[in-house]
Amino acid sequence: MVTRTTGRYDAALSHAERGAHLAPAGLPQAQLHAWALLPALARLQRTDDADQALRTALAELEADPSGTAPDRFGFDQPELALHQAEADLALGRHQQARARAEASSAACPDGTGGWTAATLVLAQAEATDSPQDAAQRALHVLDHVPATRLRSTARTRLHQLATALPTGHAADLTERLRTLPTAIDHHGHAL
């Protein structure tokens, strides 16, 4: 995750492949394929390999007896849909990204980290075709999630969205981001 977040996709892929090789079958394999391999491959524009990683994740999740159990802790369908949406977005599949992000967002309680992530990925998928909707969606997140609860990944998605939106649609979001309090760690120090 760290190497992918810092844009080192080849290293991220290498770590993901190593993890997938060592992970036991079922849920751990599903998670490694969807959470680690799929996004790294998508960022590297390796479409066929990304699609194969997704197929493997789905097969492993289906084979795991507790893989889709409701309220099971850990990797679940909304998280899988979020990873699919992000991969689709990286691969330029905006309509698929929209549908999967909508499904992920709808399955998460409002205001949670999962809901925030999925809603912002949905906004990113809408940025080109529906910039007003994308901007409103981002502002809705900022209205409903206290700044102290915004994860660094949410902040990154918000800034990426503000940059991606046409100028006329980004003004309110850019202003809200400018006045957003600095993120702090659990000791109260600025990040």
Side-chain angles (χ1 to χ4, degrees), residues 27 30-31 34-35 38 54 58 61 66-88 96-110 112-122 151 157:
L27 194 59
Q31 188 168 17
W35 179 76
L38 175 61
L54 176 58
L58 292 169
L61 193 59
S66 64
T68 57
D71 300 324
R72 179 191 44 72
F73 177 77
F75 191 70
D76 58 11
Q77 289 294 334
E79 186 177 353
L80 174 61
L82 173 65
H83 297 307
Q84 287 177 274
E86 287 183 304
D88 285 334
Q96 289 174 313
R98 251 176 130 154
R100 289 180 172 143
E102 282 178 324
S104 179
S105 178
C108 296
D110 285 3
T112 62
W115 174 84
T116 300
T119 301
L120 292 175
V121 170
L122 175 55
R151 297 176 179 170
R157 286 182 180 109

Side-chain angles (χ1 to χ4, degrees), residues 5-142:
T5 301
T6 58
R8 298 178 359 229
Y9 304 123
D10 287 318
L13 179 59
S14 176
H15 294 312
E17 288 171 334
R18 201 167 331 135
H21 177 74
L22 297 171
L27 194 59
Q29 275 291 326
Q31 188 168 17
L32 263 289
H33 278 82
W35 179 76
L37 279 169
L38 175 61
L41 291 164
R43 288 295 184 167
L44 291 167
Q45 298 299 300
R46 291 177 51 182
T47 305
D48 292 341
D49 293 331
D51 290 343
Q52 181 56 49
L54 176 58
R55 285 191 294 274
T56 301
L58 292 169
E60 291 290 340
L61 193 59
E62 188 174 313
D64 191 300
S66 64
T68 57
D71 300 324
R72 179 191 44 72
F73 177 77
F75 191 70
D76 58 11
Q77 289 294 334
E79 186 177 353
L80 174 61
L82 173 65
H83 297 307
Q84 287 177 274
E86 287 183 304
D88 285 334
L89 197 56
L91 293 168
R93 301 174 187 167
H94 294 272
Q95 292 299 357
Q96 289 174 313
R98 251 176 130 154
R100 289 180 172 143
E102 282 178 324
S104 179
S105 178
C108 296
D110 285 3
T112 62
W115 174 84
T116 300
T119 301
L120 292 175
V121 170
L122 175 55
Q124 288 175 322
E126 293 174 324
T128 303
D129 296 336
S130 304
Q132 186 61 38
D133 292 342
Q136 287 305 312
R137 207 173 291 285
L139 293 170
H140 180 73
V141 166
L142 290 171

